[in-house]
Amino acid sequence: MTAQPSLSRRAAAELIGTAGLLVVVIGSGLKAAELSRDTGVALIANSFASAIGLGLIITIFGPLSGAHLNPVVTLTSWWSRRTGGEGLGGREALVYTVAQSAGAIGGALIGEVMFGRTPGTFATQVRDGGHLLIGEVVATAGLVLLIQGLGRTGRGRFVPPAVAAYIAAAIWFTSSGSFANPAGTIGRSFSDSFTGIAPESLPGFLGAQLVGGILGLALAALLFGTGTGAGGGTGSRPRSRSRSRFGRSVKPAPVDGASPAKAAYETVR
């Protein structure tokens, strides 16, 4: 049996991974706005860079912590554990959420400093209106459904590119721009930039994301059942060796796994 990383190492992976994600999102937004006055061009550049960065971060940190990078994803993992599947315990979920939130704020500040801006300036871009909140519900529900669906159907190895592609698309097809991440949303309130969100807009967005997470879980249960497989993470940690139904040697998830039931990173022997 391969020893799983300690909770402190997993929390560090969540903190660093979420910080990296915010550096990518905010940094690419600042660079795009610096190079083009065309909002559409800037959004193309920002969505492209954000999707690539997210996919790489999930790939790097998935084997350590599951690469949740998002409190909603962590809460779905915790719920999976409560309903008899694989996932995080309550203490682990709390530690993950704190690490993600701290990492998001730190990443936002780093992004600001990189471009010679004063760190800690709150965003002034107000994002309100019921249509934007509906966009956040849709964006978050779709993200949770994607992760849960791939995990419950044994295709967890596709999660990194699938999540990256989904976010790139959702930035465009949702009215809100698909924040879909409470920690990331809080972090982006610390950047008065193209990608920022004013603090007064946070309650609505955070509430919509929570509703979207619940809706995504409900849809996953309706479509794929409530099997014991999906841990709710976007990546998987190392697993001990066992045989798959296709005759390959893979590593099964630990019981408390922060990963989907099927390995996102199967090791073919």
Side-chain angles (χ1 to χ4, degrees):
M1 177 73 71
T2 302
Q4 66 169 337
S6 65
L7 180 57
S8 61
R9 285 183 61 196
R10 285 183 279 148
E14 287 296 304
L15 187 150
I16 296 169
T18 310
L21 176 60
L22 267 291
V23 169
V24 170
V25 171
I26 290 175
S28 63
L30 290 171
K31 175 61 74 174
E34 181 181 286
L35 297 176
S36 176
R37 294 181 179 274
D38 188 314
T39 303
V41 172
L43 187 59
I44 289 174
N46 176 243
S47 60
F48 185 70
S50 298
I52 293 175
L54 176 59
L56 292 173
I57 290 169
I58 293 173
T59 301
I60 293 169
F61 293 103
L64 286 173
S65 66
H68 292 197
L69 315 175
N70 184 335
V72 167
V73 176
T74 294
L75 287 174
T76 62
S77 177
W78 169 77
W79 182 253
S80 293
R81 174 78 171 267
R82 283 182 58 86
T83 54
E86 297 168 359
L88 297 178
R91 177 171 173 267
E92 292 173 305
L94 177 60
V95 170
Y96 268 45
T97 299
V98 172
Q100 292 156 0
S101 300
I105 295 172
L109 298 180
I110 292 171
E112 292 283 293
V113 170
M114 280 200 311
F115 285 85
R117 295 159 60 92
T118 302
T121 301
F122 287 115
T124 56
Q125 185 171 353
V126 176
R127 301 176 188 261
D128 56 16
H131 65 295
L132 296 184
L133 300 185
I134 291 173
E136 274 302 283
V137 171
V138 170
T140 311
L143 176 63
V144 170
L145 177 60
L146 175 65
I147 294 170
Q148 291 284 319
L150 289 175
R152 295 183 190 200
T153 57
R155 295 176 293 169
R157 63 187 178 280
F158 296 120
V159 166
V163 169
Y166 174 81
I167 292 299
I171 287 173
W172 284 91
F173 75 71
T174 62
S175 57
S176 62
S178 185
F179 283 52
N181 182 337
T185 303
I186 292 171
R188 287 164 69 166
S189 71
F190 285 82
S191 175
D192 190 15
S193 65
F194 173 71
T195 57
I197 177 172
E200 57 263 40
S201 300
L202 290 179
F205 267 59
L206 298 181
Q209 290 158 3
L210 180 60
V211 171
I214 295 171
L215 177 60
L217 274 176
L219 290 173
L222 173 66
L223 295 171
F224 305 106
T226 57
T228 61
T234 54
S236 75
R237 300 197 303 270
R239 304 173 175 206
S240 61
R241 192 178 303 178
S242 69
R243 299 298 295 179
S244 76
R245 61 179 177 176
F246 299 108
R248 294 182 298 176
S249 179
V250 300
K251 295 182 177 182
V255 173
D256 76 333
S259 61
K262 303 294 182 180
Y265 304 89
E266 291 186 344
T267 304
V268 180
R269 300 290 182 181

